[in-house]
Amino acid sequence: MENTNGNSMESSAVAERIEALLKRMSLDEKAGQLVQISGAPWTAGSKPEDVIRQGRAGSVLWLNDIKRINELQRIAVEESPSGIPLLFALDVIHGYNTIFPVPLAMASSWDPSVAEQSQAAAAVEARAAGLHWTFGPMLDIARDARWGRIVEGAGEDPFLGAAMAAAQVKGFQGTDISDPERIIACAKHFAGYGAADGGRDYDPVFLPEAQLRNVYFPPFLAALKAGVGTFMSAYMDLNNVPACANGWLLRDVLRKEWNFKGFVVSDAFSVGSLVTQGHARDRKDAALRSFRAGLNMDMASNTYLENIPDLVRSGEIPEEELDGMVRSVLTLKIRAGLFEHPYTDETLLEKVSARPGQRNLARTAAGRSMVLLRNEGGLLPLSKKLKNIAVIGPLADSSEATEGPWMVFGHKPAAATVFEGISAKLPDANIVCAPGPEIYRRTPHPFGESDTAEKKPLQTSEEAESAFRTAVETAEKAELVVMVLGENADMSGEFASCGSLDLPGRQEELLETIYALGKPVVLVLLNGRPLSINWAAEHIPAILEAWEPGTEGGNAVADILFGDTNPGGKLPVCFPRSGSHAPLYYARTLTHAPESSPNYRSRYWDSPTTPLYPFGFGLSYTTFAIGNLAVSEKRIKVGGTLTVTVDVQNTGKTTGDEVVQLYIHQKWGKDSRPMRELKGFERVALQPGETKKVTFKLGPEELRYWSTNAGRWIQESSAFDVWAGSSSLAELHSAFEVFD
């Protein structure tokens, strides 16, 4: 916890300040530090000014107005009894003004520096907007692509997820959370949220302890080791106990075992929702259960505000326990420098957003995050001599789809679209855009347009048919067609789970119709989850997975399509052939009839169960050879360490990046182990003909696991397979043994 512990002298000084504060705070003020209230005009209840003036709020969320932030902060500092500043918080998930690739895309870079630099840039703008605290990064492992919030995380793998978790925390917080260009991070949602039944947001989660510890906990532990200031509990039931009242999670694991010193906030309204979930008798009982479980701050439900003081007066909560919970909140406020610098310069945001480095970084991050899925016949990169290009699809000129979900309140999408990016790349060419039929959610998004926003009427069937014909006619006149298909921004994220992974609406029909014209076709996907593009994967010669790439997304797509950037991203998730195949992930345990056996047939009689594209997959405009796999020791003792080296060579004619990936398999032991587990990766840039040696370490940290049979972490004697390559299907193989 480097960012929250500090040195002993500093810690002693902070402790003295906190004790002095606690001595003069009333019971209501102490309880108030555990209360996060809404600053949004659309929320009901007491006026925030009144609650803050009484010292009964510790934090404000859902407010994105720097003048209003300063106004409320002034009331807290100058008019509340103890003058304790507020923490202002907002979901800054992948950018504030400058939007970076969605986190799933950042993970596709397989380059933690992309995530760290992007979140550092987001922190600069957010802090200049008066915010101190972001509800990110989201660290939930997601193996079911139907789950809408898969877009906010790093995909299906705990090793990759842990690397991205640490990088994002370092980006948001830096090495000193009092830095005026950094914000406090929040590791969410603790824990298991990504394994909701059926991929349905908020539904229950049932996970054995071994699965939690081996798969779902590692990114959270990596965030803690990187110094994350706060954790957020999840919404759902975990093994029949709601996460925000789950003492095993919040006290036993997080506090006692991991020694977390920051504080834990609930997700929105979830303390009050304990009554709805059938866990608490009433709101007073809900407050007591969450408090006893170790939840420091109640987000927006006002359950703590209404009940904590009375629970202390009745003796159900000892005041010394309340003091302990308050200390964690006050410690972070002091370390963030809020007492010395509570206000924000209202002219600063415009200045920092205008820095050219912000957009340059967004373009670089987007380019490094895209994954080339197909390039038959070397169709890509395209020639810059093309004179007549049709850019077709409902997302071709959509800033919203390019930026993706989870924009801060009040943000107006301003991304360079794919159509704009191609037009800027070829200013002398005839670039024509035709969207075709629009795509919609079948049920509206509850976070949709506000009552004051201009609402666009849905297309009629006649208008959609006319748009379809126009798109086909436009394509007929072009030399080459770029199809831009996928999902609208509101089709992934929270409240955005779906049962099908097919292209929404009439997009595939449009794709097939235009392909039948006989023109060269490139497919660009803008989406927040894996999609089942089975037909396209067989017929469309070039497919680029661009995800939702952010402010500079359209320009970054054009950079790749025309060869100014060589794609080097890899998939952080499997692409299922159907939504009904989810959850699907590579790190499964072997069955009695494994896929490698001669008599193996698909687990389904009607379709292959292998992924359409495997975890770790991605192509390049050049070629690579990975060889000379060497294990430093063929036998090591339990607790020992060995190294694995491999050579990677650029065998093509273009400079490019390869992601070298290392996988292992423990062949026997107390528990069955996954057939493959990622235990190392490195993205390597190579000139044509250049060779580099990549070295990985395998020691106790990589070789141990939580055993169901032993009920603890173990490392045991066994034989191990080791593979190196460019995806989870790597074939280059060696082996070693671990002995007692």
Side-chain angles (χ1 to χ4, degrees):
M1 288 290 294
E2 63 190 54
N3 293 349
T4 55
N5 284 347
N7 60 48
S8 58
M9 185 176 297
E10 179 193 7
S11 298
S12 176
V14 170
E16 288 178 9
R17 291 182 67 178
I18 290 171
E19 296 313 308
L21 280 169
L22 287 172
K23 284 179 181 178
R24 70 171 186 256
M25 292 169 70
S26 68
L27 177 57
D28 281 350
E29 285 183 282
K30 290 178 181 178
Q33 289 303 302
L34 309 186
V35 173
Q36 185 173 65
I37 62 172
S38 169
W42 40 261
T43 50
S46 303
K47 291 184 178 180
E49 295 95 326
D50 297 337
V51 178
I52 293 166
R53 190 170 283 112
Q54 297 165 13
R56 300 185 68 204
S59 178
V60 177
L61 82 163
W62 298 330
L63 180 60
N64 188 28
D65 179 336
I66 191 168
K67 290 183 181 297
R68 179 68 168 156
I69 287 172
N70 276 339
E71 176 187 334
L72 295 181
Q73 188 73 290
R74 190 165 286 108
I75 293 172
V77 172
E78 299 178 12
E79 299 182 36
S80 73
S82 295
I84 299 172
L86 298 160
L87 276 170
F88 287 90
L90 202 62
D91 294 276
V92 181
I93 304 303
H94 56 112
Y96 182 85
N97 274 350
T98 307
I99 306 304
F100 293 86
V102 291
L104 188 64
M106 290 187 203
S108 296
S109 72
W110 288 61
D111 179 359
S113 71
V114 166
E116 182 173 350
Q117 293 172 34
S118 298
Q119 301 299 32
V124 170
E125 294 181 356
R127 191 66 183 262
L131 301 173
H132 313 117
W133 181 19
T134 176
F135 300 131
M138 192 204 83
L139 306 180
D140 299 297
I141 295 298
R143 294 177 162 183
D144 191 330
R146 297 171 300 180
W147 189 55
R149 303 194 77 168
I150 191 172
V151 67
E152 296 175 59
E156 71 181 59
D157 186 77
F159 190 90
L160 178 61
M164 292 296 166
Q168 290 189 76
V169 170
K170 292 174 184 176
F172 282 132
Q173 295 189 172
T175 58
D176 181 357
I177 57 173
S178 68
D179 185 331
E181 293 196 339
R182 301 289 181 159
I183 54 177
I184 300 163
C186 183
K188 70 179 188 184
H189 309 84
F190 196 60
Y193 189 31
D197 278 356
R200 298 181 296 269
D201 213 1
Y202 308 146
D203 266 16
V205 169
F206 296 92
L207 288 170
E209 185 173 1
Q211 191 79 338
L212 281 164
R213 290 186 178 275
N214 289 322
V215 177
Y216 291 88
F217 282 179
F220 289 96
L221 186 55
L224 187 147
K225 290 178 178 178
V228 72
T230 64
F231 269 63
M232 182 188 292
S233 61
Y235 274 123
M236 78 299 149
D237 274 11
L238 174 65
N239 300 329
N240 293 326
V241 182
C244 74
N246 194 309
W248 179 75
L249 279 177
L250 305 186
R251 284 201 185 277
D252 296 349
V253 174
L254 188 55
R255 297 285 189 191
K256 296 178 182 177
E257 183 181 331
W258 292 0
N259 197 32
F260 177 59
K261 301 299 184 185
F263 71 82
V264 183
V265 63
S266 76
D267 209 334
F269 310 115
S270 63
V271 177
S273 296
L274 291 176
V275 180
T276 306
Q277 289 174 274
H279 186 67
R281 179 177 58 254
D282 52 30
R283 286 170 65 85
K284 181 179 180 180
D285 187 36
L288 181 61
R289 288 175 183 268
S290 286
F291 186 94
R292 285 178 172 170
L295 185 85
N296 297 81
M297 187 174 285
D298 169 17
M299 182 190 288
S301 82
N302 292 334
T303 312
Y304 275 16
L305 178 70
E306 299 163 4
N307 296 286
I308 291 292
D310 287 342
L311 286 166
V312 175
R313 293 186 187 103
S314 69
E316 292 173 87
I317 293 177
E319 189 162 0
E320 57 266 26
E321 290 187 13
L322 175 61
D323 288 353
M325 296 286 255
V326 174
R327 282 188 186 95
S328 298
V329 177
L330 293 177
T331 297
L332 212 54
K333 290 185 176 184
I334 291 171
R335 294 195 186 285
L338 295 189
F339 285 84
E340 290 73 27
H341 305 286
Y343 308 118
T344 303
D345 177 354
E346 294 175 11
T347 68
L348 186 59
L349 177 59
E350 185 177 351
K351 297 174 186 175
V352 300
S353 297
R355 294 175 183 174
Q358 296 290 96
R359 292 190 75 108
N360 292 341
L361 178 59
R363 188 165 181 165
T364 299
R368 289 184 72 79
S369 298
M370 295 177 188
V371 185
L372 183 62
L373 298 178
R374 199 163 197 254
N375 194 24
E376 294 300 303
L379 177 58
L380 295 178
L382 300 173
S383 169
K384 292 180 182 177
K385 295 180 180 180
L386 287 165
K387 294 299 182 183
N388 194 350
I389 299 175
V391 187
I392 307 292
L395 309 182
D397 200 27
S398 169
S399 290
E400 292 88 346
T402 305
E403 289 190 343
W406 274 116
M407 299 300 99
V408 296
F409 296 121
H411 177 80
K412 295 180 180 179
T417 67
V418 175
F419 169 62
E420 291 170 340
I422 293 174
S423 298
K425 185 69 68 175
L426 302 182
D428 298 327
N430 180 39
I431 314 297
V432 182
C433 182
E438 296 175 353
I439 56 175
Y440 312 101
R441 288 172 53 119
R442 291 184 180 177
T443 56
H445 199 296
F447 295 168
E449 296 177 337
S450 68
D451 294 336
T452 59
E454 182 181 352
K455 291 183 173 59
K456 182 181 177 182
L458 300 181
Q459 273 184 335
T460 65
S461 58
E462 293 79 10
E463 290 170 336
E465 187 59 38
S466 175
F468 191 103
R469 290 195 301 270
T470 298
V472 175
E473 291 167 2
T474 302
E476 283 182 313
K477 300 172 185 176
E479 293 175 77
L480 176 136
V481 181
V482 177
M483 301 289 296
V484 189
L485 309 179
E487 300 177 310
N488 285 335
D490 66 356
M491 292 177 174
S492 61
E494 192 170 1
F495 286 114
S497 295
C498 61
S500 170
L501 300 180
D502 296 340
L503 288 165
R506 298 177 65 185
Q507 292 183 97
E508 182 155 321
E509 179 189 356
L510 182 63
L511 179 64
E512 292 184 20
T513 302
I514 289 177
Y515 172 78
L517 298 174
K519 307 280 184 178
V521 177
V522 176
L523 172 59
V524 175
L525 294 172
L526 299 181
N527 47 300
R529 57 161 57 82
L531 296 175
S532 299
I533 52 166
N534 302 302
W535 186 90
E538 184 177 348
H539 296 88
I540 302 301
I543 304 175
L544 179 67
E545 175 55 85
W547 303 110
E548 289 157 322
T551 298
E552 287 292 313
N555 291 324
V557 167
D559 289 341
I560 287 180
L561 295 184
F562 291 93
D564 293 327
T565 297
N566 191 345
K570 302 283 186 175
L571 295 179
V573 283
C574 295
F575 269 46
R577 298 175 188 272
S578 168
S580 63
H581 293 188
L584 182 67
Y585 51 96
Y586 83 93
R588 306 180 308 281
T589 53
L590 290 163
T591 73
H592 73 284
E595 296 170 14
S596 58
S597 63
N599 297 321
Y600 172 78
R601 297 292 184 269
S602 175
R603 304 287 183 220
Y604 300 128
W605 62 263
D606 60 341
S607 63
T609 51
T610 53
L612 183 62
Y613 296 107
F615 175 83
F617 175 80
L619 302 174
S620 171
Y621 293 155
T622 189
T623 56
F624 300 95
I626 299 175
N628 297 328
L629 175 61
V631 178
S632 63
E633 306 287 341
K634 287 298 184 181
R635 300 184 77 237
I636 60 170
K637 288 186 177 181
V638 170
T641 298
L642 58 82
T643 58
V644 180
T645 58
V646 65
D647 291 337
V648 54
Q649 182 183 20
N650 183 341
T651 56
K653 299 179 180 179
T654 305
T655 299
D657 290 5
E658 178 63 293
V659 178
V660 183
Q661 302 163 41
L662 185 78
Y663 296 87
I664 67 166
H665 167 58
Q666 181 176 324
K667 300 183 76 170
W668 62 79
K670 283 185 170 64
D671 298 13
S672 300
R673 302 302 300 136
M675 61 178 74
R676 291 196 182 196
E677 294 180 278
L678 180 70
K679 291 298 179 180
F681 66 89
E682 185 174 337
R683 183 163 175 163
V684 182
L686 295 166
Q687 300 292 324
E690 184 181 7
T691 299
K692 288 186 179 178
K693 187 177 292 294
V694 180
T695 301
F696 301 104
K697 177 183 72 70
L698 293 176
E701 188 67 25
E702 292 77 25
L703 301 179
R704 70 173 190 158
Y705 67 94
W706 181 274
S707 165
T708 297
N709 271 320
R712 57 183 173 83
W713 288 101
I714 63 171
Q715 186 194 354
E716 55 191 338
S717 58
S718 181
F720 286 79
D721 292 305
V722 58
W723 296 270
S726 57
S727 80
S728 55
L729 301 182
E731 296 181 353
L732 190 61
H733 175 265
S734 188
F736 63 92
E737 290 185 17
V738 175
F739 64 94
D740 290 325

